Amino acid sequence: MKKFVSTFVVLLVIWLFLTSFNLSELIVGFLVSIVLAGVIAGLVDYEFDLSIVYKLPLFVVVYVPVFVYKMFLSNIDVARRVLTPKIPLNPGFVKIPIDLKGDVGKLTLANSVTLTPGTLAIDSDDENLYIHWIDIKGKNEKDYKKHVTGTFEKILGRIYK
């Protein structure tokens, strides 16, 4: 039942983003979401719990501004590297240990790293995130973590316990 409700909510939210808010479209969206949730609820591998009620505002108020700030700084850094060809680059692949346990937290972290210019999440396993980095800073995994995922992971660790 949780998967059905979770799938219904996701489908209805998507429908609401794609349509205008008149009564007939809301009714159709509600009915289509119910039918599709019944069909695909058994195929999905997620479900919401009540913690989403406090996690979502925490994510929006705390994580999103930090992410936008870090993305802004990274954009400036990459633009500087593009416009100044004499800046030494030190590109490469690094392995960064992650402490997040849940799949959603790991996915959010990997997406945040990928969306931040200069870094690209390539792969992950249960304990590590493998990243291509335009300018490797540091000498070991602890240093890499501090520079790339440290701030993100601290906040996500509180949200996705």
Side-chain angles (χ1 to χ4, degrees), residues 16-90:
L16 293 175
F17 277 121
L18 296 175
T19 62
S20 59
F21 291 99
N22 64 43
L23 184 61
S24 63
E25 288 187 7
L26 291 175
I27 292 170
V28 170
F30 187 83
L31 295 173
V32 168
S33 297
I34 286 177
V35 171
L36 286 177
V39 171
I40 65 173
L43 304 173
V44 297
D45 191 28
Y46 64 85
E47 56 187 41
F48 298 141
D49 56 5
L50 293 178
S51 67
I52 192 79
V53 173
Y54 72 87
K55 286 181 181 179
L56 185 61
L58 185 62
F59 181 82
V60 170
V61 171
V62 177
Y63 187 73
V64 171
V66 169
F67 171 70
V68 169
Y69 174 72
K70 291 285 192 176
M71 188 167 55
F72 175 76
L73 292 179
S74 294
N75 274 298
I76 298 298
D77 180 59
V78 170
R80 186 175 53 91
R81 290 175 192 284
V82 169
L83 297 173
T84 311
K86 295 199 181 233
I87 293 178
L89 296 177
N90 184 21

Side-chain angles (χ1 to χ4, degrees), residues 95-114:
K95 178 173 83 169
I96 299 176
I98 52 176
D99 299 324
L100 296 171
K101 300 299 177 207
D103 290 339
V104 176
K106 290 177 185 178
L107 176 66
T108 305
L109 179 64
N111 284 339
S112 298
V113 167
T114 297

Side-chain angles (χ1 to χ4, degrees), residues 95-99 127-129 141-142 144-145 149 153:
K95 178 173 83 169
I96 299 176
I98 52 176
D99 299 324
E127 300 172 355
N128 300 299
L129 192 59
E141 293 175 359
K142 187 176 179 181
Y144 305 153
K145 182 174 184 160
T149 63
E153 194 170 355

